[in-house]
Amino acid sequence: NLTGKEIVDLLFRLNKQDGRTIIIVSHDPSVSERATRTVFLRDGQIADERRRTQGGAFGLCLPTRCQ
């Protein structure tokens, strides 16, 4: 049986190797730290969005427009 970490590792590997889009819903910050894009929801609405820049840092975004 695969552990949760092994499954998450597999999903991120598929994303990187095959260019597959993976959508993960998690409350675990260690998972979102690995993502290239993180969308935060509050009461069913997009509350915030962050995208990883080329250098690896996150840029802050508005829900309607991300740069």
Side-chain angles (χ1 to χ4, degrees):
N1 290 341
L2 294 175
T3 67
K5 182 186 179 315
E6 290 172 317
I7 292 170
V8 170
D9 288 345
L10 172 64
L11 292 172
F12 279 101
R13 189 168 57 250
L14 287 171
N15 170 256
K16 190 171 199 166
Q17 289 176 349
D18 300 340
R20 297 176 190 231
T21 297
I22 308 292
I23 298 172
I24 301 173
V25 178
S26 178
H27 292 273
D28 185 346
S30 68
V31 174
S32 65
E33 288 171 0
R34 295 176 62 181
T36 55
R37 180 179 177 203
T38 304
V39 177
F40 298 90
L41 301 177
R42 181 175 296 121
D43 298 328
Q45 302 291 319
I46 295 175
D48 193 9
E49 178 182 357
R50 296 185 182 154
R51 293 186 189 205
R52 192 171 301 281
T53 63
Q54 288 280 51
F58 273 109
L60 297 179
C61 303
L62 297 173
T64 56
R65 196 175 95 218
C66 193
Q67 300 178 10

